[in-house]
Amino acid sequence: MEPQPTTAPPAPPARPARPRPAADPVVAIAGNATMLGLGYLAMRRPILAALALCGTGFLVWSAAVQTENPLWRYLLPAWGLAMVVHAWWLTRRTRIVPFVDLVEPDPARRPRVFAVTAAALVLLTVAWFRLDAWWIAHDAETAHAAGDCEDATAALDQLDAVHRVANGPAVLRGEEAHDACDLLLAALDAPPTEAAETMATYLDHPGARWDGAGPKRAEFLLEAALLDANPDLTAVEDAFTQFTTTLADHPGQSGAVRTTVEGFMTGLAEAPPCTGYLVDDWIAAQTWDAEEIAAPIAAAAAEVPLRLLACAEEYAEADADSGGVLFREFLTRYPDHERAGEAADGVLASGTYCANPAAYPAAPDPGGPGPHPMQLAGTWGSEGRGFPDSWLATTAAETALVVCVDAEVGEFQESCQYQRPDGSTYWATFFAHRFTIKAYALQTGELVEDYAREIGNPCPNTLDGTFNTISFFISDTAMSMASEYTDEQFRNMFAPLQD
């Protein structure tokens, strides 16, 4: 018998890897739905759990810090969905054991309840903060739209990082509104000029919500325009342009526009007269279609003539010519006004009537039998001339004629020889005073008489060196002058006006 060859015993089989405990699919999926990696922990995958937690933390931080970037708001739920799908994939072959044993408790029951509860809490928390962010933004917007930015900003200050993650768009809208409200609050607490500029910035801000900002800006502009005695008419124009824009864009603000215009016209009555006059002059050159603007201006129209008259009186104190211009403007605009007589008196007192005659309809009619009370305009007055009282008037209400008198050297009259105290002689040549007389009917401002007279007495007995004349020349051997005249000669020149 032949010996059998020896063979080595077969190698023992390799030690199989320790099987990974089967994970409950419900626990894994619900745990990953928390986005905290709880499902991976349930599957004994700590590295994946750590990665999941880190990824969620990074995305939450990014969504909170870079809220304006919508990418993070999309990546965060996508990340959570990816973990849920991954948990399902890893546990797809695991049989789900239903809760059917009502006698002995199922050992999987507690982990499932914990995982589902945790996922529900996360979802509810996100939903709550999302709703809370929307509600805060909504309340703030309602207060903002009503012009109450103090309440609006107080509400918006409640928004925090959690709200940013849960409802980024609402938070962004809130921050935009907060910036606009900061502008509005700053404008309401600033001087008029600065406030108007800030309000203009607010109106251009995308977060602006208060429709009343337009009338308020116009109010600031109008206040700023009246800060100085010389009003800023550009600001007034900007204000009324704002009124028109507001009425076109926000018809609901018509009441605010009307109230603001009414307040401005009331303030104009309390402003210095010349300030009000300059604004009135600008307003008079405009045309307003909107009743909200036109009606308050029309309601205050009775104050306009009074401001013009008061301004004319102010100007007359400093400069007669300037006052005369405004008095004449009053007579032109308001000839039948109850105070037109004061304006007519102002024109006559200014010494500018002859250069630009004006009509005062309430003056006496210069027609018919005389006398016709007159005022002499210019430097040739009636004082001390002995005129009959019936010929003269002191107020515009009594004045039928305004007589403009101008004098120049007239025709040659006579030359006479005089002897000086030292015995020497010299010749004196005399010329007449030539007066041009133009009489205007104050009632109409029309020229009714225009004539000239020459008067003067040449060659007086003595020349004592005191002369009342419009022309005088003297040398060593000769002299010339316009001869002097008497008060009677001067009065007689106006006799034809009294017939």
Side-chain angles (χ1 to χ4, degrees), residues 31 47 55 58 85 105 136 157 188 203 221 225 240 254 271 296 365 379 413:
I47 296 177
F58 172 75
V85 172
I136 290 173
D157 286 339
L188 296 177
L203 286 168
L221 284 168
F240 279 87
S254 59
D365 186 352
T379 58
Q413 290 179 311

Side-chain angles (χ1 to χ4, degrees), residues 293-310:
I293 299 175
I297 291 176
E303 299 294 326
V304 175
L306 304 183
R307 285 194 285 270
L308 173 56
L309 186 61

Side-chain angles (χ1 to χ4, degrees), residues 26-90:
V26 175
V27 175
I29 294 173
N32 272 13
T34 64
M35 300 180 67
L36 301 176
L38 298 181
Y40 291 130
L41 288 178
M43 291 184 285
R44 305 294 192 272
R45 296 175 182 267
I47 296 177
L48 289 179
L51 291 175
L53 187 59
C54 290
T56 299
F58 172 75
L59 291 174
V60 168
W61 175 82
S62 299
V65 174
Q66 302 181 42
T67 312
E68 67 282 356
N69 188 347
L71 174 65
W72 306 113
R73 294 199 297 273
Y74 295 127
L75 284 179
L76 187 58
W79 175 253
L81 180 61
M83 285 192 289
V84 168
V85 172
H86 192 218
W88 168 81
W89 177 263
L90 294 177

Side-chain angles (χ1 to χ4, degrees), residues 185-258:
L185 293 174
L188 296 177
D189 196 37
T193 302
E194 181 182 343
E197 295 175 357
T198 306
M199 193 64 77
T201 304
Y202 169 83
L203 286 168
D204 292 335
H205 196 282
R209 295 292 183 271
W210 185 35
D211 292 347
K216 195 65 180 178
R217 174 179 178 256
E219 180 182 337
F220 287 140
L221 284 168
L222 294 174
E223 289 179 7
L226 300 183
L227 290 177
D228 299 325
N230 189 22
D232 184 353
L233 297 181
T234 300
V236 175
E237 183 176 4
D238 290 344
F240 279 87
T241 299
Q242 181 66 66
F243 286 140
T244 303
T245 300
T246 298
L247 291 173
D249 297 342
H250 306 288
Q253 290 296 316
S254 59
V257 169
R258 180 186 288 267

Side-chain angles (χ1 to χ4, degrees), residues 382-387 487:
S382 59
E383 294 80 3
R385 302 288 189 179
F387 279 91
D487 289 341

Side-chain angles (χ1 to χ4, degrees), residues 384-404:
R385 302 288 189 179
F387 279 91
D389 291 341
S390 61
W391 286 22
L392 300 178
T394 56
T395 66
E398 302 170 348
T399 303
L401 297 173
V402 180
V403 183
C404 301

Side-chain angles (χ1 to χ4, degrees), residues 22-27 42 44 95-115:
D24 187 330
V26 175
V27 175
R44 305 294 192 272
R95 184 173 63 89
I96 299 178
V97 179
F99 296 145
V100 295
D101 188 353
L102 301 179
V103 179
E104 295 184 5
D106 185 351
R109 184 186 186 99
R110 183 174 296 176
R112 290 181 182 179
V113 171
F114 173 78

Side-chain angles (χ1 to χ4, degrees), residues 244-279:
T244 303
T245 300
T246 298
L247 291 173
D249 297 342
H250 306 288
Q253 290 296 316
S254 59
V257 169
R258 180 186 288 267
T259 300
T260 305
V261 177
E262 288 174 349
F264 173 63
M265 298 310 295
T266 300
L268 205 59
E270 300 171 359
C274 289
T275 300
Y277 158 70
L278 291 173
V279 176

